[in-house]
């Protein structure tokens, strides 16, 4: 099989109709699984009980301009759980999550976790650091004040 031009010329299809996923979601949702099945090539030959599979997902990940495609957004707006669980959609979502979105998500959560540690430090740990002493030392009060100011400002 010619893997570059496989299955009804999917490059030509997506060049001619870049919003084919959106059109199918709106006008003919029953045809969407047929299109997605057509983006999978399964080898007829098995090796050691496994079969080679090619996913043609380039147009579902990026559009003609090189930006992220809106295909996943259109599929999620459709709200069909059978389509979201399709192997092609899962491959696209896993690819985007593993290669692009995970780091951004993790960096955002790292700031939240840092702020949480500062909050717990200022509200609980530093307050109970000197349990036996009736009057807190000036350095301890200043450190609590600095931590709380940092939380309120950031």
């Amino acid at each position: 099989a010619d893997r570059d031009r496989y299955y009804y010329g999917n490059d030509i299809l997506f060049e001619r109709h870049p919003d084919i996923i959106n059109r199918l979601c709106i006008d003919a949702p029953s045809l969407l699984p047929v299109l997605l099945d057509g983006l999978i090539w399964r080898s007829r030959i098995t090796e050691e009980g496994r079969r080679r599979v090619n996913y043609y997902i380039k147009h579902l990940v990026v559009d003609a301009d090189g930006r992220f495609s809106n295909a996943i957004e259109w599929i999620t707006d459709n709200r069909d759980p059978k389509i979201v669980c399709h192997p092609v959609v899962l491959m696209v979502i896993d690819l985007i999550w593993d290669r692009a979105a995970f780091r951004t998500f993790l960096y955002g959560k790292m700031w939240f976790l840092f702020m949480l540690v500062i909050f717990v430090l200022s509200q609980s740990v530093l307050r109970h650091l000197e349990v036996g002493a009736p009057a807190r030392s000036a350095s301890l009060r200043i450190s609590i004040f600095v931590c709380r100011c940092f939380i309120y400002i950031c």
Side-chain angles (χ1 to χ4, degrees):
D2 185 9
R3 287 184 264 161
D4 293 332
R5 297 180 186 206
Y6 202 72
Y7 277 27
Y8 52 80
N10 69 27
D11 288 334
I12 297 169
L13 174 70
F14 281 99
E15 286 172 11
R16 176 84 172 140
H17 303 285
D19 64 339
I20 187 71
I21 301 292
N22 190 27
R23 296 280 19 127
L24 289 178
C25 285
I26 293 170
D27 297 333
S30 62
L31 293 179
L32 193 56
V34 176
L35 174 70
L36 294 176
D37 287 339
L39 298 176
I40 301 174
W41 174 82
R42 292 179 176 92
S43 175
R44 58 182 166 79
I45 301 168
T46 59
E47 296 175 8
E48 298 177 10
R50 299 188 314 178
R51 183 179 301 213
R52 182 176 175 160
V53 176
N54 291 339
Y55 291 90
Y56 296 92
I57 58 173
K58 175 177 83 171
H59 300 286
L60 300 179
V61 177
V62 293
D63 61 5
D65 299 327
R67 296 184 305 247
F68 277 118
S69 175
N70 293 330
I72 297 302
E73 180 182 349
W74 295 328
I75 289 172
T76 54
D77 288 345
N78 192 28
R79 299 182 185 268
D80 186 1
K82 290 182 182 177
I83 297 299
V84 173
C85 292
H86 193 277
V88 170
V89 176
L90 290 177
M91 176 65 83
V92 171
I93 291 171
D94 287 342
L95 182 74
I96 291 172
W97 176 254
D98 291 341
R99 304 258 172 108
F102 179 69
R103 284 189 207 107
T104 305
F105 176 78
L106 194 59
Y107 290 148
K109 293 303 174 186
M110 284 176 49
W111 177 253
F112 171 74
L113 288 176
F114 176 71
M115 292 299 288
L116 181 65
V117 167
I118 297 295
F119 178 77
V120 169
L121 186 71
S122 69
Q123 297 297 93
S124 181
V125 175
L126 291 178
R127 289 180 71 192
H128 296 96
L129 197 59
E130 294 179 4
V131 176
R136 293 189 182 136
S137 65
S139 62
L140 184 61
R141 286 185 294 189
I142 290 172
S143 60
I144 291 173
F145 176 75
V146 168
C147 287
R148 288 181 182 176
C149 287
F150 181 75
I151 290 170
Y152 296 140
I153 292 172
C154 294

